Amino acid sequence: MVADAYTGDCTIGGPPARRELPGLHVTKIAVGGTNNNVYLLRCTATGSTLIIDAPAPHEVIVEALGDGTPTAIVITHGHDDHVAGLKGLAGLLGVPVLSHAADASMLPVPVTTTVADGDVVACGDARLTAIHLRGHTPGGLALMYDAGGVLAAGPHVFVGDSLFPGGVGATFGDPARFRQLLADVEERLFDALPDDAWIYPGHGKDTTLGAERPHLAEWHARGW
């Protein structure tokens, strides 16, 4: 993957991080008291914009949209910090809300469309593939964009709280949930995608699968 100026570093109240991919413009902002990341994916051909997660305050997300045309909100998982702004955002924009069926009951508004593993989510002319990652919540979703591996084009994976620099997401001391999440992350991310796959998490800094792959055995051993 060819390096670009994007670092993925964001702070609340700071400027967005922006990245141009073939067919897709990525804007990352930090929102809310737990430094939640929101990703605005804008199709470069049509201006259609997909919003990933909806923490509060939703007004910050609306401002970051600029002149993009919002078409849907995708929720990576149902925890409060990722959906606290969903009611206000969905009500203001009037766009569909998408999530995995297993987390739909956790959301403060009805889900318009449920998304399962392998489903394709459209963003204008761009297409993203849903990946179901269980353990942090039952219905954790990642979205993968791959424009053919040219320049910094992919794969790019928006993973919610399922994977971070240094380990998988929290499983709250439950060994079964930890084993499930690590198994899904290994099978559906590490085994399926190359080292240059860029990982966009639900909080904090980005990473790549190549940076994290050497530590898988350590994660297994420590149990979190």
Side-chain angles (χ1 to χ4, degrees):
M1 182 181 292
V2 177
D4 57 23
Y6 174 86
T7 65
D9 294 342
C10 286
T11 58
I12 294 172
R18 304 185 189 276
R19 187 175 220 176
E20 293 287 349
L21 306 176
L24 200 67
H25 177 91
V26 178
T27 298
K28 176 181 180 180
I29 59 174
V31 180
T34 53
N35 202 39
N36 288 73
N37 294 327
V38 175
Y39 300 96
L40 308 175
L41 311 184
R42 177 175 171 171
C43 172
T44 56
T46 67
S48 297
T49 302
L50 196 68
I51 303 167
I52 299 181
D53 283 340
H58 70 273
E59 292 86 355
V60 178
I61 303 172
V62 174
E63 181 180 359
L65 276 169
D67 60 356
T69 302
T71 54
I73 304 165
V74 180
I75 301 300
T76 61
H77 64 289
H79 282 163
D80 287 347
D81 57 326
H82 290 261
V83 301
L86 180 58
K87 186 174 182 179
L89 186 65
L92 181 65
L93 300 180
V95 298
V97 175
L98 285 61
S99 82
H100 192 278
D103 276 16
S105 64
M106 301 169 68
L107 274 55
V109 300
V111 170
T112 311
T113 303
T114 57
V115 180
D117 189 66
D119 284 353
V120 173
V121 176
C123 177
D125 292 345
R127 298 291 183 268
L128 296 97
T129 303
I131 303 170
H132 185 199
L133 301 171
R134 301 159 291 183
H136 183 67
T137 64
L141 274 182
L143 290 179
M144 181 186 69
Y145 178 68
D146 191 346
V150 295
L151 297 176
H156 288 247
V157 193
F158 303 87
V159 297
D161 285 2
S162 289
L163 180 62
F164 295 94
V168 296
T171 51
F172 312 101
D174 186 328
R177 288 175 64 175
F178 169 74
R179 289 192 296 269
Q180 179 68 77
L181 181 55
L182 187 52
D184 278 3
V185 164
E186 285 193 287
E187 175 189 348
R188 300 176 184 185
L189 298 181
F190 285 98
D191 291 350
L193 301 174
D195 280 352
D196 66 356
W198 195 277
I199 302 300
Y200 301 81
H203 303 266
K205 295 184 177 182
D206 302 352
T207 188
T208 65
L209 290 186
E212 305 305 323
R213 194 183 300 275
H215 305 290
L216 285 169
E218 172 192 340
W219 302 352
H220 276 280
R222 75 188 185 192
W224 56 271

